[in-house]
């Protein structure tokens, strides 16, 4: 299943560039500022959860989601299945 405007690969490449730039900036920052970069991890995890829920609600199978995530369909369902119920 493929949706959206078709520019998702470019957008994701942009996001990776931003994250690399953030890591370089944090390397020159104060140690206590590391929390700002760590907060991005939580935001990325939340974005992944929302994307998986959306994909599954649009009919993407657990097998396809698992393959994209590098895991079995059972592992994908175990990780995200509860998020898609009700």
């Amino acid at each position: 299943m493929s949706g959206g405007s078709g520019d998702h690969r470019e957008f994701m490449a942009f996001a990776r560039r931003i994250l690399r730039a953030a890591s370089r900036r944090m390397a020159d920052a104060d140690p206590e500022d590391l929390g700002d970069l760590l907060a991005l991890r939580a935001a990325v995890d939340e974005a992944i959860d929302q994307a998986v829920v959306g994909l599954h609600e649009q009919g993407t199978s657990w097998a396809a989601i698992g393959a994209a995530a590098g895991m079995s369909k059972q592992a994908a369902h175990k990780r995200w299945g509860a998020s898609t119920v009700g």
Side-chain angles (χ1 to χ4, degrees):
M1 237 183 212
S2 178
S5 62
D7 65 348
H8 64 277
R9 291 187 195 276
E10 290 178 27
F11 185 78
M12 296 310 296
F14 168 72
R16 285 189 295 274
R17 288 192 304 273
I18 293 294
L19 286 172
R20 283 194 300 271
S23 70
R24 288 191 301 272
R25 285 180 180 238
M26 293 310 298
D28 292 332
D30 294 325
E32 54 272 4
D33 293 331
L34 183 60
D36 293 333
L37 186 59
L38 291 168
L40 287 175
R41 181 186 339 185
V44 168
D45 286 343
E46 183 178 336
I48 292 168
D49 293 346
Q50 290 175 0
V52 168
V53 168
L55 285 168
H56 191 260
E57 286 176 352
Q58 294 300 316
T60 303
S61 69
W62 288 119
I65 291 169
M71 61 179 68
S72 69
K73 68 179 181 181
Q74 293 87 352
H77 184 265
K78 183 176 181 178
R79 178 165 177 185
W80 292 293
S83 305
T84 62
V85 176

